[in-house]
Amino acid sequence: MDKKWLLPSLLASSSLFLVACGGGSDTDPQPGDNTGTKGSIKVIVQGLPAGADAGLTLTGPSSYSEDISTTTTLNALATGEYKLTATSRSVNQALYQPNEESITVDLSSNEEETITITYRTSVNAEGTVTGFGSVYVNGVRYETTSEQQANLKVGMQVDLQGKQGADGGFAVADSITYDATAKGVVTAVDYANQTITVLGQEFGVDKRTKLTIAFTELNTGDFVEISALHQGQGQYIATRIDVEEQNGEFEVEGRVSELNLDAKTFKLGALIVDYSQATAVEGTIENDAIVEVEASNLPVEGVLLADSVEVESANSAPSGAVAKFEGIVTQVSDDAFAIGGHTFTLSDETDYKKGYDDDLQVGMRVFVLAVATEQGLIAKKVRFDKHSEIEFTGVIDAIDLEAQTLTVFGSNYFVDNYTQFEDESDAEDKELKLEKLNIGDVVEIEAFGFESAYVVRDLERISASDFNDQQEHEVEGKVTAVNAAEQTITVGKLVFAINGATELELESDVDLTVFFEQVAAGDIAEVDYVIQGDALIATKVEVDDKDDDFDDRTFELSGKVSDFNPVDATFSLNGKTVFFDENTEFKNGIFVNDDFVEVKAIQRADGSVFALKIEIESEDGIELEVEGDVTNFVSASEFMVNGISITTDNNTEFKDGSSENLANGVSVEVEGVLTQDNVLLAKKVEFDDDDAEEVEIAGVIEDLVKDSPFDYQFNLGAQRVQVTANTEFKHGNFEKLDNGLEVEVEGYTIDGVTVVAKELRFQAIKYVEVEGSITQVDSATMFYVLGQKIKVSEQTQFEDGEQSDIATGKNVEVEGYLVTEDGETYIQAEKVEFED
């Protein structure tokens, strides 16, 4: 070796040794300095709650050691091998573990090495799949494999095991399992209360339930697969319902009651399960246990023969793990609450999102983030999922990804990881999220209000062809403001203008004055509207206070009429048989096959659907009616009534006058169709007779005379009333006219004696229930309960007994309709249930 190189080499080695030991002069490079030609190591810490120390140690050459608590960069490090050691951290009772306990890097001169440590805690989650890319459950996006999410759909209830960082970051699913709550045949459908019964269990349907068909298209006999949340008392809320072909596999989950160990039977709701021949029984069956039953045949006389029974155990998380559950609150106390069989302890540190602690009530749907401890589940966060307060369809005006909002009709709506997304447009994007939406997309939104904002529960993109400005659209939601001076009503954040052509309905049709006197913020309204530029114009507003039990039983159907049978008084609508009779109100005339109709209906005790009102919808466009004085008259094809632009053509029918009679100040009633230019094309213009005296009378029909199918006369007190084909009926039709019925009539008279009825109102059908002992029996079809006369007919349904069992002293529960006939009131029984 050449000696002239020996000394510098030794000096260099000594210098390196001193630096590694922390010694040397003030000018020597030190760890953390930017001087020298050393390397650097960047340590990235992620997944821990904000402010939590990581607990890392970096060791290296010559006994180098550095404790690290957060993301940092260490500069001027000597080259060589470094080892980062990570330890688990307990933060707020949750145990966070690093992805690697130790990581080694070989640092070279002038290089920067990066080491990333990700902390996660174990997570057990039960909840609804709300979106994909990868899979969203309980507000968290979990990375999954394609195999894990292959058969999953929005609305399915899943159990997920995995890991996640603080606030749901860096989440990974180790396993996802889905099991249907029920697979079976629908045995009952309650269209008004929106429930179906499958294998003895009742499943409610709400606005978040994903259905492959409309709820009103479900029928008894359909085979369905249901995923649902348990809401206590043996009832469930369905989160997804698929109508499928029956495949001989039946499955049901429920809570055990009336267990008989000798007979090997128990009940799930109304269903009796016989497990005497089951080939597999997993777990110990006992009352109140949640079990899953599988069978290969339908129940026979209410008894299901089980192939297997599995007792479900609580999804217990290890101490220090995070538990995330979605459910419906079944119990609440000052310091705890329960959902889905899990009890959570509350504390002053529990964080409430999209609501307040007072909102934590039985029946509320919530998402819970809890930590498992030896003392149980401690609720750290409760996020409320309130009932939708507004439901509408519109076009996206703007998107703000940073604020996580979209703008529709000029108002902002917030989305988050709890928002349920689904794409029903031509794109069919299974991984639809806010980031994939575009300005101009048409979306159906369901949202609830919190403070001054609206939070989207459900967003569904639809094809643009299903929405245009020339269509009539519908919104349903809570009234937030009423302005009589400006004649507007606000539903959610949507402001609707009301004018003389708007059909206003409370318990019955009302005028503008009565409407604005009675409607208030907090009412629930359904608004049909059209879009005129930037304005939303209401064509119909229906406000329902739900005070009437009978109103609670109504629901709506719409579609094309088929199989019209006037003899049996039935027709088909979307494959469903609908009955009508003299109580049915017909609007816009008598319907025929292929007419598009909207039906207000009830479901009778035998499950059949009965039409209360049938309204024919025009295929030519949006039909409107307006009444008032002509203003802004230019010609017969250009004038206004109550602020509505009117035009006529050669097909316009004029009644009690002609187009030459049109002039400013003339009183008319106009029926027509709204054109694309938002002008009402009149189909009929009816002039008010100046000599006619407007009258309103009420009383009992006497001396009824039928002159022709649509021409009747009768006495109402001292007044003679004439009914014509132009008379508009409420709560019935021509067939209902009979002596002894109480009616109200609005019309006009020329001679002061005969009133020509423009509108005739029967008493609305009232649905009643009475329970008690039979005190008197007059015949096989008439008896008395609590002083109420009851009549039965061939249509009356009997439960736990027969018509021949009617006798004094029998306890019964009767459901039916209140009927007034010949001055006598009685209950026409739909159902008579005998009680022990």
Side-chain angles (χ1 to χ4, degrees):
M1 180 178 291
D2 191 338
K3 289 186 178 180
K4 67 180 180 179
W5 298 109
L6 182 59
L7 183 59
S9 177
L10 288 171
L11 289 173
S13 298
S14 299
S15 175
L16 179 60
F17 176 77
L18 291 172
V19 170
C21 294
S25 67
D26 291 340
T27 59
D28 291 331
Q30 299 293 315
D33 289 346
N34 291 319
T35 59
T37 57
K38 308 299 182 181
S40 62
I41 296 178
K42 183 176 183 179
V43 178
I44 299 175
V45 179
Q46 57 190 20
L48 284 173
D53 290 341
L56 307 177
T57 301
L58 182 68
T59 57
S62 304
S63 301
Y64 173 81
S65 180
E66 184 81 18
D67 290 334
I68 299 170
S69 61
T70 189
T71 296
T72 188
T73 300
L74 300 169
N75 296 307
L77 296 179
T79 59
E81 185 177 89
Y82 287 81
K83 181 178 181 181
L84 184 70
T85 303
T87 58
S88 300
R89 311 299 289 172
S90 180
V91 185
N92 295 329
Q93 297 173 295
L95 181 64
Y96 290 85
Q97 297 175 310
N99 59 323
E100 299 284 351
E101 292 184 355
S102 65
I103 298 177
T104 301
V105 296
D106 193 3
L107 184 65
S108 300
S109 179
N110 296 321
E111 288 188 351
E112 179 180 275
E113 294 285 348
T114 299
I115 303 175
T116 301
I117 294 293
T118 302
Y119 278 90
R120 296 184 178 92
T121 182
S122 297
V123 60
N124 288 18
E126 296 177 5
T128 309
V129 174
T130 55
F132 292 94
S134 292
V135 173
Y136 287 80
V137 179
N138 295 344
V140 175
R141 176 182 180 271
Y142 292 93
E143 290 289 345
T144 57
T145 64
S146 57
E147 291 80 8
Q148 285 174 327
Q149 61 172 294
N151 297 315
L152 297 179
K153 300 174 184 177
V154 169
M156 284 183 169
Q157 291 294 312
V158 296
D159 289 339
L160 184 147
Q161 307 292 314
K163 296 178 285 291
Q164 69 176 55
D167 298 323
F170 315 105
V172 177
D174 296 328
S175 67
I176 303 179
T177 57
Y178 162 73
D179 208 356
T181 310
K183 291 182 184 178
V185 174
V186 177
T187 54
V189 186
D190 186 332
Y191 297 107
N193 293 313
Q194 293 205 295
T195 63
I196 65 173
T197 303
V198 177
L199 293 174
Q201 315 307 302
E202 186 176 273
F203 296 90
V205 173
D206 64 11
K207 294 183 183 299
R208 290 203 87 177
T209 306
K210 287 301 174 186
L211 289 147
T212 53
I213 61 174
F215 179 75
T216 51
E217 294 177 16
L218 282 170
N219 292 296
T220 56
D222 286 342
F223 184 83
V224 294
E225 178 176 320
I226 302 176
S227 191
L229 288 170
H230 186 251
Q231 61 175 354
Q233 304 302 315
Q235 294 182 325
Y236 294 81
I237 287 291
T239 54
R240 185 177 182 91
I241 300 177
D242 290 282
V243 180
E244 302 176 342
E245 293 293 329
Q246 187 168 322
N247 58 10
E249 296 179 1
F250 304 95
E251 185 175 325
V252 63
E253 173 192 300
R255 188 178 296 276
V256 173
S257 65
E258 300 183 29
L259 174 64
N260 186 326
L261 293 174
D262 294 329
K264 291 191 174 181
T265 63
F266 57 84
K267 293 186 74 172
L268 299 180
L271 179 71
I272 299 173
V273 176
D274 179 348
Y275 65 98
S276 62
Q277 299 180 41
T279 57
V281 176
E282 298 183 23
T284 302
I285 301 175
E286 54 190 7
N287 283 322
D288 290 329
I290 301 294
V291 298
E292 181 182 297
V293 179
E294 293 183 355
S296 51
N297 292 289
L298 284 168
V300 177
E301 296 182 352
V303 179
L304 181 69
L305 188 62
D307 293 337
S308 66
V309 179
E310 180 181 352
V311 179
E312 295 191 358
S313 57
N315 190 357
S316 58
S319 183
V322 165
K324 303 200 73 172
F325 298 113
E326 175 190 4
I328 297 168
V329 177
T330 55
Q331 291 180 323
V332 181
S333 65
D334 292 338
D335 57 0
F337 69 100
I339 63 171
H342 303 283
T343 300
F344 303 89
T345 300
L346 295 165
S347 71
D348 293 339
E349 296 178 355
T350 302
D351 186 16
Y352 297 94
K353 299 292 186 183
K354 302 299 186 290
Y356 305 99
D357 55 356
D358 290 344
D359 294 321
L360 192 61
Q361 299 175 4
V362 172
M364 177 63 74
R365 189 164 169 173
V366 295
F367 301 93
V368 184
L369 184 150
V371 174
T373 69
E374 293 183 358
Q375 289 73 41
L377 295 170
I378 310 299
K380 297 296 183 180
K381 183 192 298 184
V382 178
R383 198 273 193 184
F384 295 96
D385 184 30
K386 299 179 180 178
H387 294 298
S388 295
E389 294 178 357
I390 187 168
E391 179 181 355
F392 67 96
T393 304
V395 179
I396 297 177
D397 303 322
I399 298 173
D400 188 333
L401 295 179
E402 183 176 353
Q404 289 287 284
T405 62
L406 65 153
T407 305
V408 181
F409 292 129
S411 297
N412 293 335
Y413 298 87
F414 289 86
V415 303
D416 57 19
N417 284 346
Y418 296 90
T419 301
Q420 189 164 282
F421 285 85
E422 198 159 20
D423 194 358
E424 295 296 332
S425 72
D426 296 336
E428 296 183 344
D429 187 350
K430 186 178 180 181
E431 299 182 359
L432 183 66
K433 299 301 292 181
L434 182 64
E435 294 78 5
K436 291 193 171 187
L437 290 170
N438 303 294
I439 293 173
D441 281 349
V442 180
V443 290
E444 293 181 354
I445 288 175
E446 295 175 14
F448 66 86
F450 175 64
E451 296 179 343
S452 61
Y454 275 85
V455 181
V456 180
R457 298 179 79 216
D458 189 274
L459 184 149
E460 188 173 301
R461 181 166 64 182
I462 64 174
S463 298
S465 59
D466 294 333
F467 184 91
N468 63 65
D469 289 357
Q470 275 66 55
Q471 291 176 326
E472 191 172 40
H473 308 292
E474 183 179 292
V475 63
E476 180 179 357
K478 183 180 291 186
V479 176
T480 52
V482 178
N483 191 321
E486 297 183 3
Q487 290 194 327
T488 62
I489 181 174
T490 304
V491 179
K493 289 189 174 184
L494 305 181
V495 180
F496 299 95
I498 295 174
N499 55 41
T502 307
E503 182 183 348
L504 304 172
E505 185 175 334
L506 301 180
E507 290 185 359
S508 58
D509 292 348
V510 297
D511 60 21
L512 285 167
T513 301
V514 173
F515 180 83
F516 282 109
E517 285 176 349
Q518 296 189 11
V519 176
D523 289 340
I524 302 300
E526 291 184 16
V527 181
D528 294 340
Y529 66 95
V530 293
I531 302 171
Q532 292 185 1
D534 294 331
L536 306 179
I537 310 299
T539 58
K540 180 179 179 181
V541 182
E542 184 176 356
V543 178
D544 190 356
D545 59 12
K546 292 293 185 186
D547 283 340
D548 193 326
D549 290 341
F550 184 76
D551 287 340
D552 288 342
R553 303 180 70 242
T554 63
F555 61 97
E556 293 183 354
L557 298 167
S558 62
K560 275 194 172 184
V561 172
S562 63
D563 301 325
F564 175 60
N565 186 331
V567 176
D568 294 337
T570 63
F571 63 95
S572 292
L573 204 62
N574 299 326
K576 194 179 303 300
T577 299
V578 181
F579 292 81
F580 62 94
D581 64 14
E582 73 276 2
N583 293 298
T584 304
E585 177 183 325
F586 298 102
K587 187 164 185 180
N588 300 333
I590 303 298
F591 62 92
V592 295
N593 281 331
D594 294 326
D595 275 345
F596 189 89
V597 297
E598 189 173 281
V599 178
K600 182 178 181 180
I602 60 168
Q603 190 171 14
R604 297 189 292 200
D606 62 358
S608 61
V609 175
F610 174 73
L612 294 172
K613 182 166 74 171
I614 303 173
E615 182 174 355
I616 302 174
E617 299 288 336
S618 172
E619 293 186 358
D620 300 327
I622 301 165
E623 288 194 343
L624 296 177
E625 297 180 11
V626 60
E627 181 179 357
D629 293 341
V630 173
T631 60
N632 298 81
F633 180 79
V634 176
S635 67
S637 60
E638 187 178 348
F639 59 97
M640 300 185 76
V641 176
N642 268 340
I644 306 300
S645 296
I646 312 288
T647 189
T648 61
D649 62 13
N650 293 333
N651 296 315
T652 302
E653 175 191 352
F654 290 90
K655 186 173 179 4
D656 298 330
S658 68
S659 60
E660 296 178 356
N661 298 115
L662 290 169
N664 284 329
V666 174
S667 295
V668 293
E669 292 183 19
V670 181
E671 298 177 12
V673 176
L674 201 65
T675 69
Q676 292 186 0
D677 298 324
N678 293 313
V679 174
L680 189 64
L681 174 59
K683 299 172 86 173
K684 183 171 77 171
V685 177
E686 182 177 352
F687 294 85
D688 281 350
D689 191 332
D690 292 335
D691 296 329
E693 179 187 354
E694 296 285 338
V695 295
E696 293 185 19
I697 55 177
V700 177
I701 294 176
E702 296 177 334
D703 300 325
L704 178 68
V705 176
K706 181 178 180 180
D707 296 326
S708 70
F710 301 110
D711 193 358
Y712 290 68
Q713 291 192 36
F714 56 84
N715 289 336
L716 212 57
Q719 205 84 52
R720 193 66 177 169
V721 176
Q722 182 179 2
V723 176
T724 72
N726 294 315
T727 301
E728 183 177 345
F729 286 85
K730 297 290 184 182
H731 310 305
N733 55 56
F734 283 96
E735 295 294 327
K736 191 173 183 177
L737 288 170
D738 199 1
N739 288 317
L741 290 180
E742 293 183 12
V743 295
E744 298 176 4
V745 173
E746 290 183 18
Y748 61 90
T749 178
I750 297 175
D751 57 12
V753 176
T754 301
V755 174
V756 179
K758 294 173 64 176
E759 181 179 295
L760 186 149
R761 293 187 295 272
F762 298 101
Q763 286 190 335
I765 298 175
K766 297 292 183 182
Y767 185 81
V768 295
E769 297 181 9
V770 60
E771 183 177 2
S773 178
I774 296 177
T775 56
Q776 179 181 332
V777 178
D778 287 353
S779 67
T781 60
M782 186 184 300
F783 60 94
Y784 290 81
V785 176
L786 298 179
Q788 292 269 8
K789 179 185 284 188
I790 315 290
K791 285 187 178 182
V792 299
S793 67
E794 293 179 356
Q795 285 73 43
T796 303
Q797 302 293 304
F798 291 90
E799 290 188 11
D800 299 327
E802 299 177 354
Q803 186 171 352
S804 59
D805 293 321
I806 294 173
T808 302
K810 289 278 189 178
N811 291 320
V812 294
E813 183 176 329
V814 179
E815 298 178 12
Y817 304 101
L818 207 59
V819 176
T820 300
E821 193 172 51
D822 294 329
E824 182 182 45
T825 300
Y826 61 89
I827 297 172
Q828 181 61 58
E830 265 209 319
K831 183 174 75 172
V832 176
E833 182 178 353
F834 291 89
E835 299 179 334
D836 294 334

